[in-house]
Amino acid sequence: MEYSPEILRNKGVPITVADVVNIDGQWELQYTPEGELKTEEINVKFTHNVIADIEELWGGLEKWQEAMESKPVSTLRRILSVITREPTDMVGVRMIEGRLPEYSNGIGVAWAMANGVDPKIASQLLKEAAIGVDSQIEMLNEEIAKSLPGSTLGQEQSPPGAKQDSDTTTSGE
């Protein structure tokens, strides 16, 4: 993804979302013939209209920021809906699993630029945030992989019947 200051200043912060189509009233993800999720890049930008909509929907900017802290995913979905002018349920389906940090970073940097942060600085912030997110995901995957080798989870069946708990004398009888 390109985070150049020119792109950020003119278009907004690029984020990747899934392509969807409405089938019988339900938003369905689209896949390539090879089974890969079809995606597209959209840009997050806080225009005066978007900011005014935030004030109306949440009752003020402070309450919107409080909602971002107390209900981060639903508020993120809703704000992306306001920015893209797409229905909230559609936006929720378009949000790709595992990309919440990217979406949160995009919103945060777009908001910072709306409040005067130089796009050159915003560009650096996004690049560093992307590295941090990638590093965090890699670390989590490594920890999960470490815990799986040698694990008997799902490989050995326990004998049928109730078991006695170690701290009770009647359990399992």
Side-chain angles (χ1 to χ4, degrees), residues 90-108:
M90 177 184 178
V91 170
V93 174
R94 288 176 59 106
M95 292 171 69
I96 300 169
E97 300 298 325
R99 297 232 174 158
L100 285 176
E102 176 187 339
Y103 302 143
S104 293
N105 290 339
I107 292 293

Side-chain angles (χ1 to χ4, degrees), residues 67-68 70-79 95 100:
M68 286 293 285
S70 65
K71 296 181 179 181
V73 179
S74 61
T75 306
L76 185 60
R77 179 182 69 150
R78 183 69 179 129
I79 196 61
M95 292 171 69
L100 285 176

